[in-house]
Amino acid sequence: MDQTYQFDREKFKDAVHFIVHYVESTHGTAALGNTKLHKILYYSDFLTYLKTMRPLTGEEFLRQKFGPTSKHLGTTLKQLAHDGRLKTSKSDYFGYAKSDYHSLLPPQIEKFSDPELELMRGMADFVCTHTATEISEFSHDDVWSSVTMGHVIPYFASFA
């Protein structure tokens, strides 16, 4: 059952941009940081897999201390900044450096179906109504626990 999926880099870039744009326009820039962005992407991919047996983007998510993290998010944010689509800045959040994301252009959503867009909106709304600590603890579930620290979480683990 160990099946890998082709990573759709362009769709992943568009998903990141869409999420940043959506959160910034509905919840404000302060509502989204690095931890929350990782979790929105993770839940969007894994819930799409549960519904369709295909992930949203095919991204690999790793088990890390604070929950699942996207393997390609850092590179993707740099690409989006280079493309003039996003800007990343840092702010102080109770003595900690917090990443802030700013959408500079409307997102490209042609690669997504209406249900996929709705799922990403729903995941963003859910995650952004919790603190980063709460959402990290929430993500420490059976799926996250099913793999060794630092390893890729297989999509089929979502059935746990």
Side-chain angles (χ1 to χ4, degrees):
M1 190 170 200
D2 184 18
Q3 187 170 7
T4 57
Y5 294 93
Q6 182 67 37
F7 174 52
D8 188 334
R9 184 174 306 279
E10 290 306 310
K11 192 170 184 181
F12 185 74
K13 279 174 57 176
D14 290 346
V16 171
H17 187 195
F18 173 79
I19 291 164
V20 168
H21 183 84
Y22 175 76
V23 171
E24 189 174 29
S25 64
T26 58
H27 298 278
T29 302
L32 186 65
N34 194 49
T35 298
K36 290 182 179 184
L37 184 53
H38 278 285
K39 301 313 177 266
I40 295 166
L41 292 162
Y42 168 73
Y43 287 122
S44 295
D45 245 314
F46 275 70
L47 288 174
T48 298
Y49 176 81
L50 279 174
K51 289 181 179 186
T52 67
M53 296 303 293
R54 304 278 320 155
L56 181 68
T57 68
E59 170 62 317
E60 291 183 328
F61 293 89
L62 308 172
R63 179 183 176 184
Q64 298 295 342
K65 180 180 177 181
F66 298 108
T69 60
S70 161
K71 185 175 180 178
H72 298 100
L73 182 57
T75 303
T76 299
L77 289 167
K78 288 176 186 167
Q79 290 172 343
L80 287 165
H82 180 266
D83 295 346
R85 294 168 65 184
L86 289 183
K87 181 177 94 174
T88 303
S89 61
K90 296 285 185 185
S91 64
D92 179 69
Y93 186 76
F94 298 102
Y96 295 95
K98 177 187 171 290
S99 296
D100 294 312
Y101 306 106
H102 310 276
S103 177
L104 302 175
L105 297 170
Q108 299 170 8
I109 60 171
E110 298 80 24
K111 291 180 177 71
F112 303 106
S113 66
D114 288 342
E116 289 172 334
L117 292 168
E118 191 58 35
L119 178 68
M120 287 189 288
R121 286 185 198 103
M123 287 300 92
D125 291 339
F126 172 75
V127 168
C128 289
T129 59
H130 294 82
T131 67
T133 301
E134 289 170 338
I135 210 63
S136 287
E137 290 172 4
F138 182 81
S139 69
H140 292 181
D141 57 14
D142 290 342
V143 176
W144 175 83
S145 298
S146 70
V147 298
T148 306
M149 194 66 72
H151 286 91
V152 173
I153 302 168
Y155 282 98
F156 69 80
S158 59
F159 291 109

